[in-house]
């Protein structure tokens, strides 16, 4: 061997010497190597991978708040977009949550979490985002509910629901601290799957394969008048008999309702004032959710990112005032029918 060359045998010898030094002196590995005059400095950078499976996230100002999935206990972390750093870690009850909603002022972040015997604690909580460490406040126990939908209204009420016998729509009033059950949109449906609260209405999507029985109701879409509590079905006929209405969004007087048809995932683009007037956009993806508007485009999450371009013109159905073109960000294109 020439001077200066490092062989595999020499490397193993160094390792053995280092281990022996640790055993004898109890020094850290870096100190042991330094004591022997080694020219290599070892710095512990921590784990290369930190597992944090997530189920929900929501932007609030210049931060995002991200909720964990299948981690005990549940954690909701604050992430600063500007610095790229985690700013807070708040532990909650249970092991997962996919429900996050922020109040109109951006101070409180609400979450509803399934209560397990192995991880007890009030399942309805909120986090104070005005405090540096984002502390948790326990609000109410929600035994027997597997939450799947939550929404904050412009007048600072929180609505949520999920899977349970005869799924009930709940309302939390921060002014009084009261949690009340205000409606059962369909007693035979497996769950309340999605919610959207406005100043005077609540849109409720229902259905699901999880927990369904032969007598369960299929997909449903309802609107509830908040003043009168009257509930009306506004389900497009193409969604009847399908598994669920998975998500609903509202932008500039237009509802975007995500469900499926016999041909795959679809979006019903509905006039909020006259839901009978709608355009149906069909996609080859298996499901679509999270409708978000950016400029003249709508985006949906699913097996691929779907982009809908909204432009003035004649519609494909009824008297809707928009024509739609769509494309997929991955596999397959959407088409209008």
């Amino acid at each position: 061997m020439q001077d200066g060359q490092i062989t595999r045998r020499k490397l193993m010898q160094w390792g053995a010497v280092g281990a022996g030094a640790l055993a004898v002196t109890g020094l850290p590995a870096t100190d042991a190597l330094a004591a022997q005059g080694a020219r290599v400095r070892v710095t512990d950078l921590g784990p290369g991978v930190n597992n944090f499976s997530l189920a929900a996230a929501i932007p609030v100002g210049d931060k995002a708040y991200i909720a964990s999935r299948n981690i005990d206990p549940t954690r909701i972390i604050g992430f600063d977009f500007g610095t790229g750093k985690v700013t807070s870690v708040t532990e909650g009850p249970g092991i997962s949550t996919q429900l996050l909603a922020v109040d109109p002022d951006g101070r409180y972040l609400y979450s509803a979490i399934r209560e397990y015997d192995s991880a007890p604690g009030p399942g309805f909580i909120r986090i104070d985002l005005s405090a540096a460490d984002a502390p948790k406040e326990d609000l109410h126990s929600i035994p027997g509910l597997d939450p799947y939908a939550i929404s904050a209204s412009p007048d600072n009420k929180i609505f949520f629901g999920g899977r349970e016998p005869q799924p009930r729509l709940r309302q939390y009033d921060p002014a009084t601290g009261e949690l009340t059950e205000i409606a059962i949109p369909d007693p035979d449906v497996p769950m309340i799957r999605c919610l959207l609260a406005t100043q005077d209405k609540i849109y409720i999507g229902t259905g699901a394969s999880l927990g369904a029985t032969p007598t369960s109701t299929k997909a449903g879409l309802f609107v509830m008048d908040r003043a009168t509590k009257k509930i009306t079905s506004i389900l497009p006929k193409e969604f009847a008999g399908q598994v669920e209405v998975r998500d609903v969004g509202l932008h500039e007087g237009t509802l975007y309702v995500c469900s499926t048809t016999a041909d795959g995932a679809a979006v019903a683009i509905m006039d909020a004032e006259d839901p009978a007037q709608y355009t149906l956009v069909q996609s080859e993806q298996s499901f679509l959710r999270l409708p978000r508007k950016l400029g003249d485009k709508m985006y949906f999450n699913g097996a691929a990112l779907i982009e809908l371009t909204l432009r003035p013109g004649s519609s494909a159905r009824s008297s809707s005032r928009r024509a739609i073109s769509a494309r997929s960000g991955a596999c397959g294109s959407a088409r209008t029918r």
Side-chain angles (χ1 to χ4, degrees):
M1 181 183 75
Q2 296 179 356
D3 292 342
Q5 288 184 325
I6 300 177
T7 65
R8 183 172 180 270
R9 179 184 296 274
K10 190 68 174 179
L11 199 60
M12 293 176 67
Q13 289 173 347
W14 283 354
V17 171
L22 287 174
V24 174
T25 68
L27 293 174
T30 51
D31 291 341
L33 288 173
Q36 298 167 57
R39 295 183 179 180
V40 177
R41 178 175 297 277
V42 178
T43 303
D44 183 359
L45 298 179
V49 176
N50 197 359
N51 182 20
F52 190 85
S53 57
L54 58 91
I58 187 171
V60 183
D62 58 357
K63 295 180 181 178
Y65 289 87
I66 305 165
S68 66
R69 178 181 180 87
N70 295 333
I71 296 176
D72 187 3
T74 298
R75 294 173 178 85
I76 300 174
I77 66 172
F79 178 80
D80 189 296
F81 290 114
T83 64
K85 295 182 180 297
V86 172
T87 58
S88 63
V89 179
T90 306
E91 294 187 352
I95 62 173
S96 299
T97 181
Q98 56 185 325
L99 301 186
L100 297 175
V102 66
D103 69 12
D105 296 328
R107 175 174 179 179
Y108 290 110
L109 182 70
Y110 290 86
S111 183
I113 304 170
R114 181 178 176 181
E115 298 174 6
Y116 289 88
D117 293 339
S118 60
F124 183 49
I125 65 172
R126 72 181 179 187
I127 295 172
D128 188 350
L129 304 184
S130 67
D133 56 349
K136 173 180 70 75
E137 180 183 353
D138 294 331
L139 298 177
H140 287 277
S141 182
I142 46 175
L145 174 66
D146 191 359
Y148 271 83
I150 192 168
S151 182
S153 66
D155 60 339
N156 203 20
K157 303 292 193 302
I158 309 299
F159 301 89
F160 65 95
R163 182 165 66 101
E164 62 185 328
Q166 297 189 342
R168 297 176 287 281
L169 176 63
R170 293 162 172 80
Q171 173 187 282
Y172 174 72
D173 186 348
T176 63
E178 292 182 347
L179 179 67
T180 54
E181 298 175 357
I182 60 173
I184 300 177
D186 183 346
D188 298 319
V189 77
M191 71 171 71
I192 294 174
R193 191 65 179 85
C194 59
L195 288 170
L196 174 63
T198 71
Q199 188 72 27
D200 55 357
K201 295 181 176 67
I202 302 175
Y203 295 94
I204 309 165
T206 62
S209 58
L210 189 64
T213 69
T215 59
S216 293
T217 306
K218 302 296 184 180
L221 177 63
F222 304 91
V223 58
M224 188 190 84
D225 185 293
R226 290 180 55 185
T228 65
K229 301 297 191 294
K230 179 183 178 181
I231 296 176
T232 304
S233 174
I234 57 172
L235 184 73
K237 66 178 184 296
E238 290 86 354
F239 294 164
Q242 300 302 317
V243 173
E244 64 186 2
V245 169
R246 193 173 183 89
D247 215 342
V248 58
L250 177 64
H251 298 279
E252 300 173 353
T254 301
L255 286 168
Y256 298 85
V257 183
C258 303
S259 186
T260 56
T261 69
D263 296 325
V267 180
I269 303 171
M270 309 174 69
D271 186 331
E273 295 301 318
D274 184 5
Q277 307 299 319
Y278 64 90
T279 297
L280 190 71
V281 178
Q282 191 75 44
S283 170
E284 296 175 355
Q285 304 304 320
S286 56
F287 71 93
L288 297 176
R289 60 190 296 262
L290 297 175
R292 297 291 185 267
K293 190 172 188 293
L294 182 61
D296 65 345
K297 293 177 171 54
M298 288 293 302
Y299 293 90
F300 302 85
N301 183 30
L305 179 64
I306 299 295
E307 176 187 274
L308 295 180
T309 300
L310 312 177
R311 62 178 184 269
S314 59
S315 71
R317 180 182 295 275
S318 72
S319 60
S320 176
R321 294 181 298 277
R322 298 178 184 268
I324 310 298
S325 66
R327 64 186 180 90
S328 168
C331 50
S333 62
R335 60 187 185 277
T336 306
R337 57 174 288 183

